[in-house]
């Protein structure tokens, strides 16, 4: 059975890491979020479903987005109830058990989801924020050697190993 990710949309859109990594000039952050999920395979396999839940009613742009086919990603608007309540209802109704993963930083939602035997995940964990490691532990932060340094090291190694 595939996984179902139920994502508190505005919770993600308002997360500092999302704001830092999204284009400043974009008019529709919902599309940015959809592309982030698709391009980075945040839900794992394309067979896994993702429900993006947003508070309130869709506006005209949202209605156009609802008409688009985003593959395994579906947009929902909670209308008269809160997105949190909508997420709870989905979790109770679908009974996905441990195949349901809810993405929210709201502690009340996370506790409720865990009580159903499903998994709750924080927004940071979902969008894969990794804590900065100290520079000496981060291989990407090491300085590259230039040609002369490489040549000098190779000469020294030849002298040691080949007895030249």
């Amino acid at each position: 059975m595939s996984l179902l990710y139920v994502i508190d949309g505005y919770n993600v859109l308002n997360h500092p890491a999302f704001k830092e990594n999204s284009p400043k000039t974009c008019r529709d952050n919902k599309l940015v979020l959809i592309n982030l999920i698709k391009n980075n395979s945040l839900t794992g396999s394309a067979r896994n479903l993702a429900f993006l839940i947003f508070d309130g009613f869709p506006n005209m742009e949202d209605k156009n987005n609802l008409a688009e086919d985003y593959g395994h990603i579906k947009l929902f608007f909670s209308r008269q109830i809160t997105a949190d309540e909508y997420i709870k209802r989905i979790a109770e109704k679908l009974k996905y058990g441990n195949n349901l993963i809810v993405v929210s930083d709201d502690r009340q939602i996370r506790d409720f989801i865990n009580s159903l035997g499903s998994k709750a995940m924080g927004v940071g964990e979902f969008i894969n924020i990794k804590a900065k490691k100290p520079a000496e532990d981060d291989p990407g932060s090491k300085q590259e050697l230039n040609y002369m340094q490489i040549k000098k090291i190779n000469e020294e190694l030849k002298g040691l190993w080949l007895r030249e």
Side-chain angles (χ1 to χ4, degrees):
M1 181 180 220
S2 61
L3 299 175
L4 171 61
Y5 284 80
V6 177
I7 302 163
D8 187 339
Y10 286 125
N11 211 241
V12 176
L13 295 181
N14 291 318
H15 195 277
F18 179 81
K19 288 181 178 182
E20 288 172 11
N21 296 311
S22 63
K24 305 296 181 231
T25 58
C26 181
R27 288 182 48 198
D28 192 354
N29 280 334
K30 293 176 189 92
L31 290 178
V32 173
L33 176 56
I34 290 167
N35 288 325
L36 177 74
I37 293 168
K38 287 175 78 169
N39 296 338
N40 296 296
S41 301
L42 296 183
T43 59
S45 168
R47 289 181 284 153
N48 295 335
L49 296 172
F51 290 177
L52 295 178
I53 313 299
F54 294 98
D55 285 299
F57 292 85
N59 59 31
M60 286 308 290
E61 271 185 33
D62 295 331
K63 287 181 181 179
N64 292 335
N65 292 340
L66 287 169
E68 289 290 319
D69 180 18
Y70 300 109
H72 68 284
I73 302 171
K74 309 290 182 216
L75 276 76
F76 296 93
F77 289 85
S78 64
R79 301 190 179 268
Q80 284 121 344
I81 61 174
T82 66
D84 294 350
E85 188 60 35
Y86 197 86
I87 291 169
K88 288 178 181 179
R89 288 181 184 183
I90 288 173
E92 287 178 318
K93 191 179 223 179
L94 295 180
K95 296 184 175 150
Y96 253 66
N98 60 0
N99 289 330
L100 172 69
I101 301 170
V102 173
V103 178
S104 177
D105 281 342
D106 187 325
R107 179 173 288 258
Q108 186 180 22
I109 292 294
R110 293 173 65 152
D111 290 345
F112 178 80
I113 296 304
N114 288 330
S115 74
L116 295 177
S118 297
K119 182 178 180 192
M121 178 184 292
V123 173
E125 183 183 358
F126 177 68
I127 57 179
N128 205 14
I129 300 172
K130 294 186 177 144
K132 291 274 185 189
K133 296 179 182 177
E136 65 271 5
D137 292 344
D138 186 5
S141 69
K142 293 187 179 168
Q143 191 175 29
E144 294 290 323
L145 297 174
N146 64 36
Y147 175 77
M148 292 306 293
Q149 292 169 323
I150 293 170
K151 186 174 180 182
K152 183 177 178 184
I153 291 169
N154 283 338
E155 292 297 322
E156 287 178 28
L157 289 174
K158 280 183 188 176
L160 290 171
W161 287 97
L162 301 175
R163 307 269 188 236
E164 292 182 349

